[in-house]
Amino acid sequence: ITRWNSKYDATQKVLIHKKKLDILFDVLKLNKLKPNEWLFLEENCLLLKPLSNSLDKLQREKNSYLGYVAPTLIVLRKLLIQSSNDLSNAKSKDFILASISHPKFKMSWVPVRYISLCKELFLNECNTFKDGNSVSESASDNADSDSSDEFYSNLSENLTTSFHPSADVDSAEIDTSVSNTAGVEALKYLNSKKKEVMSLNDVPIVKQIFFKYNTTLPSSAPVERLFSKAIQMLTPRRNRLSDDVFEMLLCCKSTE
């Protein structure tokens, strides 16, 4: 368990012998890995390679001096930054707009070199909604927990020069040539200090973008809790419960 990077080494071997494994699967009449599964393994190894190599350097028996720690961490950080996704990639559009349209983040997370690109992308998206109707549904304003606030507060801290130090767009950056309704509303939203989701009611165009791109991320936690409650319901004394009655009892228990 302390040498988990050996799993990376094993996965790397699998990728090296990919063609031979396909033949082996045919001989043993086993289901082959799907293309997206092979792609997952490739991306997994690509991202874990710098970390795994760094651990190998620090865990070796020879030249295990403290002087190796700082240089290894610097090299690891550089390699991880180089392997990170480029925000200029077209595939990043949905993620960029989803984050900027969320009042909690706006432009606080955007690296300095991508501020102009992301801001222009957001303004262009607002312009596509300027003739549309406002979304009638109200956004639920579920407050984040204290731990979540503490975690994301790191975004606004000027820890490195590669990230924008401010949580909001500087008023000096406002483009005075923007005169259309969508542009004015977008800049008003970016310069607002409000971080609650309900604040989107003041900017209906941004609100539409929020609903379009901020899909809910699936979580297994509710399902796991449901299984835990099922064990509590199906006791030895209730061993004759029918499926329908058991399901109704479980639903009642889940609504408590």
Side-chain angles (χ1 to χ4, degrees):
I1 192 170
T2 59
R3 297 281 299 190
W4 62 265
N5 52 320
S6 61
K7 188 174 183 179
Y8 159 80
D9 296 330
T11 307
Q12 189 69 30
K13 290 289 185 181
V14 170
L15 292 174
I16 293 175
H17 300 289
K18 178 180 177 181
K19 293 182 179 179
K20 295 181 179 179
L21 284 173
D22 283 335
I23 299 174
L24 183 62
F25 288 153
D26 287 333
V27 174
L28 298 177
K29 297 181 180 180
L30 298 174
N31 293 330
K32 293 184 179 180
L33 291 179
K34 299 178 182 178
N36 61 331
E37 293 173 336
W38 282 113
L39 181 61
F40 170 80
L41 292 178
E42 292 172 359
E43 292 181 349
N44 183 63
C45 286
L46 178 64
L47 293 175
L48 288 182
K49 182 178 180 179
L51 181 58
S52 179
N53 289 343
S54 298
L55 288 175
D56 288 338
K57 302 295 183 184
L58 296 177
Q59 292 177 348
R60 58 188 176 184
E61 296 179 0
K62 296 182 179 180
N63 296 324
S64 55
Y65 300 105
L66 183 62
Y68 277 82
V69 175
T72 301
L73 292 177
I74 296 299
V75 173
L76 173 60
R77 180 178 181 273
K78 182 179 179 180
L79 292 174
L80 290 177
I81 291 176
Q82 291 176 350
S83 63
S84 61
N85 289 330
D86 186 355
L87 289 182
S88 61
N89 192 313
K91 295 181 179 179
S92 301
K93 176 185 175 182
D94 291 357
F95 298 94
I96 294 173
L97 293 174
S99 298
I100 296 179
S101 63
H102 197 298
K104 186 176 181 66
F105 304 109
K106 296 179 182 176
M107 298 282 292
S108 65
W109 60 276
V110 181
V112 173
R113 63 184 182 276
Y114 292 119
I115 288 180
S116 298
L117 184 147
C118 293
K119 184 178 178 182
E120 181 181 0
L121 184 65
F122 180 66
L123 290 174
N124 290 338
E125 188 69 15
C126 288
N127 285 327
T128 62
F129 280 88
K130 64 182 178 180
D131 297 326
N133 296 323
S134 300
V135 179
S136 58
E137 296 86 348
S138 61
S140 60
D141 189 16
N142 294 326
D144 289 338
S145 61
D146 294 339
S147 59
S148 178
D149 290 336
E150 182 179 355
F151 176 80
Y152 288 115
S153 65
N154 293 324
L155 289 174
S156 59
E157 295 178 4
N158 191 14
L159 300 178
T160 65
T161 56
S162 62
F163 288 90
H164 197 277
S166 174
D168 301 296
V169 177
D170 190 349
S171 58
E173 295 180 359
I174 296 180
D175 187 356
T176 55
S177 63
V178 176
S179 58
N180 60 75
T181 304
V184 171
E185 182 178 307
L187 294 175
K188 172 187 174 183
Y189 162 76
L190 291 176
N191 285 280
S192 173
K193 301 295 183 181
K194 299 179 180 179
K195 294 186 177 183
E196 299 80 12
V197 176
M198 287 300 294
S199 64
L200 292 174
N201 290 328
D202 300 330
V203 281
I205 295 178
V206 179
K207 184 178 179 180
Q208 293 181 69
I209 297 176
F210 175 86
F211 276 114
K212 178 180 178 180
Y213 290 99
N214 269 283
T215 179
T216 303
L217 296 177
S219 173
S220 62
V223 179
E224 293 172 2
R225 286 195 294 268
L226 187 64
F227 278 113
S228 298
K229 292 179 180 178
I231 296 175
Q232 298 171 3
M233 298 299 301
L234 194 59
T235 61
R237 287 191 173 185
R238 293 179 169 180
N239 59 357
R240 293 181 178 273
L241 288 177
S242 65
D243 293 343
D244 293 337
V245 174
F246 173 73
E247 183 177 351
M248 288 188 288
L249 289 173
L250 187 58
C251 289
C252 291
K253 184 70 174 178
S254 301
T255 57
E256 293 180 356

